[in-house]
Amino acid sequence: MTNPPDADVTIDSRGATCPGPLMDLIGRVKTLDPGTTVALRTSERNSTTDVPAWLEKAGHDLVEIDEGDDEWTIYLEVT
Amino acid sequence: MYRIAIVGGGTGGTVLANRLAEELGPELAAGEVEVRLITADPEHVYKPTFLYVPFGKKTVDDAARPIDELLDRRVTLDIAEVTDVDTDGHALTFADRSRLRYDHLVLATGASLDPDAVPGLAEGGHHFYGPAGAETLRDELADFTEGHLVLSVAGVPHMCPAAPVEFTLMVDDWLRERGRRDDVDLTYTYPINRAHGLESIAEWATDLFDARDIDVETFFNVESVDPDAGIVESMEGTELDYDLLVAIPPHAGSDLVIDAGLGDDGWVDVDRHTLEAEHADDVSAIGDVADVPTSKAGSVAHYEAGVVADRLASRARGETPTAVYDGKTVCFLEAGMDEATFIEFAYGEEPYVREPSRPLHWAKLGYNESYWLTARGLL
Ligand SMILES: Cc1cc2nc3c(=O)[nH]c(=O)nc-3n(C[C@H](O)[C@H](O)[C@H](O)COP(=O)(O)OP(=O)(O)OC[C@H]3O[C@@H](n4cnc5c(N)ncnc54)[C@H](O)[C@@H]3O)c2cc1C
């Protein structure tokens, strides 16, 4: 899969139920350098609240949330 | 002859082998089918026993029985470690490099503990997820009279999502019974923004933790442990001082799965209803090694084994398989040393948590005793 233009890393968690997408993200962020931009694809609506809450707690930056058909892409930057 | 190979003699593999022996009795007698179970350990281990070991209620010997005593005589048993799965060639390779061909393969190799994934955890933390850990924790707990006990779920997924909550409620009760609870602070930590993955269990546990004066730290993903200073630190930047750290270690799937191309992260990618592998023909997976959206629990392995037994019996007879797994999961949860509750749910369902009671505690202990009949396929 190709990354969207503004993300260095794409995590495809579509199909996973809560808290799967958040845990996929946490597992991956551990391995990434500061400054990396990440696109998290999810079909779980709860991710749109869980993920921003975690980013705030962990101190990473939420860039934007794109809404598609029954799925969301959450863009963030690792700090 | 239709050759069915099952790798792993834990809950899933054992129940499956016995169910197949039962369902395919005539075909086995006629030599048309072979059911072969390959497992590395001659002992079958019933892990739920380990929850009781730290409290001196069970011993690690109670958790194990020889696998050959549990298997139907019509099942061929090999005690051997599988080192490679060749899904194109339909063959397994063993440590001595010998090969075994199969017509259908079922992987039931479980999950393994990976404490080394967190720096300092192996030295600084204790756990009750395996025999040695449970025994060491029993000795630590026996000497623990005061200080800060931290129960930390270092990562998900892990086996039996209920067990950390159960341990926390049990240790609270156990310390109260010994008159030590006032001298011990208890903290429970969890990786996401609530106390458990399932919302109803999170709410239930949070209410009980509040009532029993147990602190909860959420969004706590363990990053490192400093055994000398007695500090556990999270990725989110929170530090906790501990005197006794009980941590559920990160879990890993297996290299066997990765090397075979069956799942990038060590869990087999399967269709959640048929349990057939997504990246190979004639391969299924059950139990903890299968990546399905429910708990890594013995009850899941058990129900999945029933579904795969039905599907393979159909295939062996040349019929189209129709049995499917709906995600059924059943779990008893200890709420202290003498009361428990019970939940059941399927894919997409939120469980209802009943009021804990003594009869449910005895039901859980009774289930643990009768487990050996379950594994044999008698229950
Ligand atoms: C403390 C604790 C409490 C628990 N409590 C509960 C509970 O109350 N209720 C519940 O439902 N579940 C509970 N569980 C979870 C339950 O034990 C597991 O989900 C269950 O054992 C999974 O079964 P399995 O067949 O997938 O794997 P396992 O039972 O782990 O068996 C895997 C088998 O595969 C073999 N194996 C692995 N790799 C190879 C190889 N390469 N070659 C050959 N053999 C191999 C192993 O030797 C082992 O025999 C608990 C777990 C723990 C740790």
Side-chain angles (χ1 to χ4, degrees):
Chain A
M1 186 174 52
T2 54
N3 290 333
D6 51 352
D8 302 318
V9 173
T10 298
I11 304 168
D12 189 351
S13 295
R14 288 173 299 167
T17 48
C18 174
L22 174 62
M23 293 317 300
D24 289 348
L25 175 70
I26 292 172
R28 198 63 190 278
V29 164
K30 278 183 193 170
T31 66
L32 299 175
D33 294 328
T36 310
T37 51
V38 180
L40 174 69
R41 302 183 71 180
T42 171
S43 49
E44 169 68 75
R45 180 180 291 278
N46 288 337
S47 303
T48 61
T49 48
D50 280 11
V51 171
W54 181 72
L55 293 173
E56 193 178 340
K57 171 104 183 178
H60 304 294
D61 291 337
L62 175 67
V63 179
E64 65 177 57
I65 302 181
D66 274 0
E67 189 156 348
D69 297 336
D70 298 323
E71 65 170 79
W72 294 263
T73 305
I74 305 173
Y75 293 95
L76 56 116
E77 185 179 327
V78 179
T79 55
Chain B
M1 182 159 71
Y2 189 70
R3 292 154 304 177
I4 300 170
I6 304 163
V7 184
T11 300
T14 305
V15 173
L16 173 62
N18 286 334
R19 285 279 176 91
L20 281 170
E22 200 58 42
E23 291 197 34
L24 291 170
E27 289 81 359
L28 282 159
E32 292 159 13
V33 172
E34 178 188 67
V35 177
R36 188 178 276 265
L37 182 95
I38 303 123
T39 189
D41 187 351
E43 298 276 294
H44 173 104
V45 177
Y46 181 54
K47 297 173 185 173
T49 310
F50 299 144
L51 175 63
Y52 301 90
V53 171
F55 304 106
K57 300 278 179 197
K58 291 273 178 196
T59 66
V60 297
D61 288 346
D62 295 330
R65 301 238 174 133
I67 177 89
D68 60 0
E69 286 180 12
L70 299 173
L71 276 189
D72 192 297
R73 294 282 158 228
R74 290 168 288 191
V75 176
T76 309
L77 172 66
D78 293 320
I79 304 296
E81 189 184 339
V82 172
T83 53
D84 186 59
V85 178
D86 170 5
T87 56
D88 292 334
H90 279 56
L92 302 173
T93 310
F94 299 98
D96 67 1
R97 295 181 154 251
S98 59
R99 272 166 77 84
L100 174 78
R101 303 259 309 163
Y102 63 79
D103 293 299
H104 197 101
L105 169 68
V106 184
L107 288 178
T109 48
S112 54
L113 305 179
D114 189 13
D116 294 332
V118 174
L121 182 60
E123 304 82 52
H126 292 277
H127 70 79
F128 56 93
Y129 265 51
E135 279 185 334
T136 317
L137 179 56
R138 178 194 61 206
D139 298 344
E140 288 290 323
L141 215 47
D143 290 337
F144 186 68
T145 49
E146 57 179 8
H148 189 194
L149 191 158
V150 176
L151 181 295
S152 188
V153 178
V156 292
H158 62 81
M159 287 180 277
C160 195
V165 172
E166 294 183 279
F167 180 86
T168 308
L169 295 170
M170 287 166 82
V171 82
D172 165 76
D173 207 2
W174 193 80
L175 290 165
R176 282 177 204 278
E177 279 174 10
R178 278 156 190 74
R180 293 191 206 150
R181 182 63 179 88
D182 288 342
D183 301 317
V184 175
D185 291 324
L186 275 179
T187 301
Y188 169 96
T189 84
Y190 202 70
I192 63 167
N193 53 339
R194 52 177 185 264
H196 193 271
L198 292 163
E199 277 185 70
S200 53
I201 298 195
E203 277 168 31
W204 175 77
T206 304
D207 287 350
L208 279 181
F209 289 163
D210 275 353
R212 298 188 192 180
D213 203 17
I214 298 165
D215 290 334
V216 179
E217 278 284 338
T218 55
F219 272 151
F220 193 97
N221 285 278
V222 179
E223 181 157 79
S224 64
V225 176
D226 182 339
D228 299 326
I231 293 174
V232 51
E233 192 181 351
S234 78
M235 270 175 82
E236 292 78 11
T238 312
E239 277 189 5
L240 288 175
D241 291 331
Y242 67 82
D243 297 292
L244 178 59
L245 174 64
V246 182
I248 313 304
H251 283 42
S254 74
D255 290 342
L256 198 67
V257 170
I258 299 171
D259 295 344
L262 291 167
D264 287 344
D265 47 11
W267 314 114
V268 183
D269 294 328
V270 292
D271 178 289
R272 67 178 70 171
H273 297 293
T274 65
L275 304 164
E276 284 164 13
E278 287 180 350
H279 308 302
D281 293 332
D282 303 317
V283 178
S284 307
I286 56 171
D288 292 348
V289 79
D291 193 4
V292 292
T294 187
S295 309
K296 295 205 179 299
S299 68
V300 170
H302 180 140
Y303 293 122
E304 290 175 339
V307 168
V308 171
D310 285 353
R311 294 184 67 84
L312 287 181
S314 301
R315 279 188 186 230
R317 294 190 201 107
E319 299 158 5
T320 305
T322 53
V324 284
Y325 177 59
D326 64 359
K328 185 168 180 191
T329 308
V330 167
C331 190
F332 285 102
L333 281 104
E334 297 287 11
M337 293 310 288
D338 63 0
E339 54 175 19
T341 181
F342 173 80
I343 52 168
E344 67 181 301
F345 55 100
Y347 289 143
E349 288 175 13
E350 193 61 45
Y352 165 72
V353 187
R354 293 164 180 79
E355 188 65 26
S357 69
R358 275 169 183 260
L360 281 170
H361 166 70
W362 291 109
K364 175 156 186 168
L365 296 186
Y367 178 83
N368 286 346
E369 290 305 320
S370 62
Y371 170 77
W372 304 105
L373 298 175
T374 305
R376 279 197 188 96
L378 299 175
L379 271 183

